Amino acid sequence: MRDKGRIIIGLVIFLILITFPVWYNVARGKAGYVPQLEKPATVKQCVRDTSFMKAHHMDLLDEWRDRVVRKGEVMDIDMAGKPVEMSLTRTCLGCHHNREAFCNRCHSYMDVSPYCWDCHVDPKETK
Amino acid sequence: MGIDRRKFIKASGLAALGLAGLAPVKLFGTEDSTQAVSDSVSSRKEIGKPLEGKRWAMVIDINKCLREENCTACVTACHTAHNIPHFDNSKDEIKWIWKETFHNAFPEQEHEHLKDHLLEKQLPLLCNHCDNPPCVKVCPTEATWKRERDGIVMMDWHRCIGCRYCMAACPYGSRSFNWRDPRPFIDRINPDFPTRTRGVVEKCTLCEERLRIGQLPACVEACKAHAMVFGDLEDPDSEVRALLRENFTIRRKPSLGTHPEIYYIV
Amino acid sequence: MLEKALQGSKQYWGWIAFLFVIILIGTYNYVRQFQEGLYITGMSRDVTWGFYIAQFTFLVGVAASAVMVVLPYYLHNYKAFAKITILGEFLAIASVTMCMLFIFVDMGQPFRILNVFLYPSPHSLMFWDTIVLSGYLLLNVVISHVTLSAERKSIPPPKWIRPVIIISIPWAISIHTVTAFLYSGLAARPFWMTAILAPRFLASAFAAGPALLIILCLILKRISKFDAGDEPIEKLATIVTYAMAINVFFVLMEVFTALYSNIPEHVMHFEYLFFGINGKDFLVPWMWTSEFLAVVSLILLIVPSTRRKKRTLVIACITVFLSLWIDKGLGMVITGFVPNPLGTVTEYSPTLPEVLISIGIYGVGALLVTVLYKIALSVRKQLPV
């Protein structure tokens, strides 16, 4: 066990390195940073409960995708019991007009890169 | 007696069809819902009553089509509606509907003394939406499949792994592959239809996205000569059935047993 | 056992370094293809499969050919193959690995490849090919590991391995049969749609694989103390001779049926292959070379004196291998697409990145063969003979 000291120093260095992003943000005064998302001004309620949407919007989009593409359905029923078209570009972007300030801001904070927009078209971007 | 019974079955079938056609309307046909959707729609028309059919088919009248000199209205309409890129080389080419000579379209039925216009001019080809599609059989992920309810051979671009087995299996050359990212090569993007990502196969879907909101396929709508007629083959009173009854029609490579649902009046 | 691969002479490390360089070049080009798309290959809307799938097809044959040593040794207790059976199995492992890599680099969406298992589609031969290839890899890894470990400890291998080995024999046949079905089930491609495709594939595999094994054994004799002995080499040469003769016979049957029946869509492909259509003749010189090499190899193999002499046998094996590589690794797959179903002739030839990626994959295979053979030989040297 003569290497005890070296091992401990090594472990400390490793811990500092791996937690570096935390210290870096603390130093910049951004420790508690949470992205501010732009919410729709007029509509108050999404097609599902807000907490569900926060955690599971991707699952709902997957479900919509399969129902539209594979089952050929068009409409879903929202929370209020009203029919809504299952469409990322028309229904989702219909309220969340600013994709950059809503989708992208949170995705980049979470460091996820969904590939929806490789194919689906944000109508604003074609104008 | 036999005839009577057949008539009765026909009639009840029609009635069932009518009900089936009404059902989806009831589901989401209320005033405010269509309004809510169309508010958020940029260029697309209102969601109308979906076109319902048990077996979609198309009849293309070659004579009417060829009367229009160098017309490519159907090709342009389809390719604009579906965000088809335009490449300068034929190697990377993507096409859903395109024009070929009779010689290439019907290699088994051509000969050198055909009517002049058949020898010279080109007629439109597209996916045949076969009853027995070889492309569907070979797909290892069910990214392409045949819709039971209306016979459309569909594509799921989310699932396709880009193995291109379907392209090897299609006897009609109806499938294209995205060899590269298509977006930079699309002249004007239609926001109502997705573009594709590189590495997936695509083809004509008989405008199922238009049928479901009550519109005819883009090519049919665009055809000035009314040479393309779209309809339900299972409906004995449909226009396609009438055309098939009254004209001699051929299909591409019938000997392969794929049963194409695109018919050509020669 | 892997540590055996980490000791070696300067030449050994030089060879390993060379392989790493070509693998790196291949990887670099693959990253480019991954980022930019398959348009950097020579494939097109008309010729949708090219060099990659052709190499895959050829290598499935090399992998299956291990059965030509496994079957006599384990089923007929043919002791002369005792030393080389493990070499055959290791060659199979390397070949199946290369097959999988060739499929992978051919995918448009490689990260979605698991969809094949998530949405199993038994109606697709591609699904079955994935299953038989993975199974064959697994079988050979288990069999070679268990038998070699037992050999190292100088104990007989455990009893349970024998049924596994017996299963691997029809399994080897199945991988090449299913691969042939991939093509021969397509009504759209008359060139492939022939019932004799699977037998033809097997015949060419059982010629090319053992030919490669003979070459490898003779190389090993030069660079190491390993000597396969004369009897197994001669027996392998006999196998190559019969398989090559049967293969050529099958090819001639194909040519006869297509040309005599004179159905245009069957004739066209052979016309493209051997004469070119409208001046489009990329494959023509290759195919005539292949046929010439086939004839030379058959003469060298059938005449007893040239078959027995090592020097002429090596030439025979190289000509067999090259002839069949051209036939299967170039002509067979590409010609199925030329002319296309509409009668249009679009030519295909691989591009530089495509070739470099393929060479990189062959580098991986060569690396595997080197490392595995090194392990096998090191284990053997420990044995009191």
Side-chain angles (χ1 to χ4, degrees):
Chain A
M1 287 304 275
R2 275 174 301 165
D3 294 336
K4 201 172 163 187
R6 278 192 212 168
I7 291 172
I8 289 172
I9 292 169
L11 280 177
V12 169
I13 292 174
F14 173 73
L15 277 177
I16 291 173
L17 280 181
I18 205 170
T19 52
F20 175 75
V22 177
W23 308 125
Y24 179 74
N25 276 336
V26 169
R28 286 203 312 167
K30 281 189 147 193
Y33 173 76
V34 177
Q36 290 306 308
L37 305 184
E38 192 181 294
K39 287 171 193 130
T42 48
V43 191
K44 287 283 160 258
Q45 182 55 56
C46 197
V47 295
R48 296 281 187 280
D49 193 59
T50 308
S51 63
F52 173 86
M53 289 310 284
K54 271 185 185 163
H56 296 292
H57 61 281
M58 60 300 255
D59 298 328
L60 183 72
L61 286 173
D62 268 5
E63 185 199 312
W64 278 12
R65 175 187 75 190
D66 284 349
R67 283 172 65 185
V68 171
V69 179
R70 305 196 70 89
K71 294 188 184 138
E73 296 174 24
V74 183
M75 306 302 271
D76 190 21
I77 305 292
D78 74 2
M79 272 188 80
K82 272 189 176 179
V84 282
E85 189 189 5
M86 294 185 280
S87 167
L88 174 66
T89 49
R90 284 182 287 273
T91 302
C92 302
L93 288 191
C95 295
H96 300 283
H97 297 291
N98 192 343
R99 178 160 70 87
E100 185 52 48
F102 188 73
C103 313
N104 294 11
R105 198 170 283 171
C106 192
H107 287 154
S108 79
Y109 173 71
M110 299 299 288
D111 194 21
V112 290
S113 34
Y115 42 81
C116 313
W117 309 105
D118 286 2
C119 299
H120 291 278
V121 184
D122 184 344
K124 278 197 299 299
E125 283 166 22
T126 59
K127 278 171 192 160
Chain B
M1 177 64 195
I3 295 166
D4 286 348
R5 198 175 61 204
R6 248 173 66 191
K7 269 190 182 159
F8 171 74
I9 292 171
K10 257 189 201 171
S12 50
L14 273 176
L17 244 175
L19 282 177
L22 281 173
V25 185
K26 270 189 203 151
L27 191 68
F28 58 85
T30 52
E31 273 299 303
D32 52 349
S33 73
T34 20
Q35 197 53 45
V37 170
S38 61
D39 274 347
S40 62
V41 168
S42 51
S43 62
R44 202 171 70 155
K45 286 182 216 155
E46 266 184 33
I47 294 183
K49 176 185 158 191
L51 298 182
E52 298 273 334
K54 286 194 170 154
R55 188 62 193 89
W56 291 127
M58 200 187 283
V59 179
I60 299 175
D61 189 330
I62 296 182
N63 298 310
K64 276 187 186 170
C65 172
L66 295 189
R67 228 170 278 149
E68 299 287 322
E69 288 288 334
N70 304 320
C71 174
T72 52
C74 54
V75 179
T76 313
C78 170
H79 287 189
T80 316
H82 299 116
N83 291 324
I84 310 286
H86 176 77
F87 299 105
D88 287 331
N89 58 349
S90 64
K91 178 178 162 307
D92 300 329
E93 193 179 18
I94 290 176
K95 46 191 183 188
W96 286 21
I97 178 169
W98 74 103
K99 297 186 86 177
E100 292 274 355
T101 57
F102 187 84
H103 170 85
N104 285 342
F106 296 93
E108 290 153 338
Q109 276 131 332
E110 61 97 29
H111 60 82
E112 53 191 305
H113 305 298
L114 283 168
K115 294 178 185 170
D116 284 345
H117 70 284
L118 286 184
L119 283 175
E120 292 153 10
K121 293 176 185 168
Q122 299 191 315
L123 49 112
L125 302 183
L126 62 154
C127 170
N128 277 307
H129 295 275
C130 307
D131 267 351
N132 183 15
C135 54
V136 166
K137 196 160 60 179
V138 300
C139 178
T141 60
E142 276 161 49
T144 189
W145 73 97
K146 190 172 175 58
R147 278 211 317 213
E148 285 303 324
R149 72 178 162 150
D150 60 7
I152 291 179
V153 174
M154 269 293 283
M155 274 295 309
D156 186 345
W157 296 306
H158 306 96
R159 192 181 285 184
C160 174
I161 58 172
C163 70
R164 310 188 293 291
Y165 198 6
C166 55
M167 296 177 80
C170 175
Y172 307 104
S174 296
R175 290 175 165 267
S176 307
F177 181 71
N178 286 278
W179 298 101
R180 60 193 306 178
D181 182 13
R183 269 214 190 164
F185 301 91
I186 303 172
D187 301 330
R188 242 187 88 236
I189 291 182
N190 166 20
D192 293 322
F193 199 76
T195 64
R196 265 70 66 198
T197 182
R198 66 169 187 276
V200 297
V201 172
E202 61 180 84
K203 67 164 197 80
C204 157
T205 59
L206 220 51
C207 281
E208 70 76 41
E209 85 284 358
R210 290 169 60 92
L211 301 179
R212 72 167 87 153
I213 56 166
Q215 298 173 350
L216 281 172
C219 54
V220 175
E221 198 179 83
C223 183
K224 284 174 271 181
H226 196 59
M228 304 174 95
V229 175
F230 175 83
D232 186 5
L233 204 64
E234 304 259 307
D235 173 7
D237 299 325
S238 64
E239 195 181 349
V240 285
R241 281 288 289 273
L243 284 171
L244 293 176
R245 250 194 320 267
E246 290 152 16
N247 298 278
F248 176 67
T249 44
I250 54 172
R251 298 190 284 183
R252 295 175 69 198
K253 301 201 178 178
S255 63
L256 300 183
T258 54
H259 296 290
E261 291 302 1
I262 310 294
Y263 297 79
Y264 292 85
I265 300 175
V266 208
Chain C
M1 275 191 270
L2 204 62
E3 76 280 358
K4 310 270 188 231
L6 296 175
Q7 306 145 7
S9 62
K10 261 193 187 147
Q11 284 97 322
Y12 173 72
W13 285 112
W15 169 244
I16 298 280
F18 165 74
L19 291 179
F20 266 108
V21 169
I22 61 169
I23 292 170
L24 271 179
I25 295 172
T27 313
Y28 168 78
N29 280 282
Y30 179 68
V31 171
R32 232 193 98 199
Q33 179 191 297
F34 180 76
Q35 285 171 344
E36 296 180 34
L38 280 153
Y39 86 94
I40 68 166
T41 70
M43 290 183 276
S44 61
R45 192 181 189 277
D46 281 342
V47 186
T48 52
W49 284 342
F51 207 62
Y52 298 147
I53 295 295
Q55 302 317 301
F56 154 79
T57 310
F58 177 74
L59 288 166
V60 172
V62 177
S65 73
V67 77
M68 285 290 106
V69 286
V70 171
L71 189 143
Y73 179 58
Y74 287 108
L75 213 57
H76 299 284
N77 210 16
Y78 181 66
K79 292 288 182 222
F81 277 175
K83 274 187 184 171
I84 60 167
T85 300
I86 192 83
L87 302 186
E89 287 161 354
F90 279 162
L91 183 60
I93 291 176
S95 302
V96 179
T97 310
M98 285 190 275
C99 289
M100 290 175 163
L101 286 172
F102 273 115
I103 291 284
F104 188 79
V105 299
D106 190 67
M107 295 284 119
Q109 287 284 338
F111 286 155
R112 295 185 188 167
I113 203 154
L114 282 181
N115 281 359
V116 176
F117 301 102
L118 288 174
Y119 310 103
S121 319
H123 47 74
S124 170
L125 264 308
M126 188 91 70
F127 167 77
W128 291 107
D129 218 18
T130 324
I131 289 186
V132 289
L133 279 177
S134 332
Y136 192 64
L137 181 62
L138 186 72
L139 280 173
N140 275 288
V141 168
V142 170
I143 293 169
S144 54
H145 180 76
V146 168
T147 51
L148 197 62
S149 302
E151 200 179 324
R152 182 155 88 145
K153 293 174 202 144
S154 306
I155 51 165
K159 280 227 170 61
W160 61 264
I161 199 68
R162 193 174 157 78
V164 179
I165 293 168
I166 303 295
I167 289 171
S168 83
I169 294 171
W171 203 288
I173 309 292
S174 84
I175 63 168
H176 219 18
T177 307
V178 174
T179 306
F181 284 179
L182 218 57
Y183 300 102
S184 66
L186 301 183
R189 310 283 168 182
F191 184 66
W192 297 334
M193 209 195 69
T194 156
I196 210 175
L197 199 68
R200 197 184 135 190
F201 270 17
L202 286 165
S204 65
F206 296 158
L212 179 60
L213 199 55
I214 292 176
I215 298 170
L216 289 173
C217 284
L218 295 177
I219 292 174
L220 286 181
K221 196 181 169 186
R222 275 212 162 170
I223 61 170
S224 77
K225 284 181 217 151
F226 175 85
D227 184 2
D230 285 342
E231 194 190 334
I233 297 286
E234 274 172 28
K235 192 57 90 183
L236 279 178
T238 313
I239 292 173
V240 176
T241 311
Y242 274 107
M244 189 61 183
I246 294 171
N247 173 64
V248 170
F249 176 62
F250 283 172
V251 172
L252 291 175
M253 285 168 83
E254 294 258 45
V255 172
F256 168 79
T257 313
L259 298 192
Y260 194 81
S261 68
N262 206 17
I263 300 172
E265 54 183 26
H266 288 262
V267 177
M268 274 190 310
H269 295 287
F270 285 96
E271 192 187 333
Y272 172 70
L273 207 49
F274 289 107
F275 303 103
I277 299 178
N278 301 333
K280 294 180 174 169
D281 53 5
F282 167 69
L283 284 176
V284 172
W286 288 97
M287 288 318 290
W288 285 109
T289 309
S290 170
E291 302 313 318
F292 171 73
L293 292 173
V295 172
V296 170
S297 71
L298 270 186
I299 295 171
L300 289 174
L301 286 168
I302 290 172
V303 175
S305 60
T306 47
R307 186 176 66 240
R308 291 209 185 95
K309 221 184 287 165
K310 291 277 154 51
R311 186 161 295 171
T312 40
L313 176 64
V314 171
I315 297 171
C317 288
I318 293 173
T319 48
V320 163
F321 192 82
L322 287 179
S323 168
L324 294 175
W325 180 81
I326 295 171
D327 182 48
K328 235 167 152 181
L330 218 49
M332 212 287 302
V333 172
I334 299 169
T335 310
F337 294 101
V338 191
N340 78 357
L342 282 76
T344 315
V345 180
T346 307
E347 278 214 290
Y348 161 87
S349 56
T351 58
L352 184 65
E354 202 174 354
V355 171
L356 291 174
I357 291 171
S358 303
I359 292 177
I361 295 176
Y362 274 106
V364 174
L367 184 68
L368 273 174
V369 166
T370 308
V371 168
L372 292 173
Y373 278 21
K374 175 108 177 130
I375 291 171
L377 296 195
S378 310
V379 167
R380 290 274 163 78
K381 269 184 215 157
Q382 292 175 339
L383 294 172
V385 183

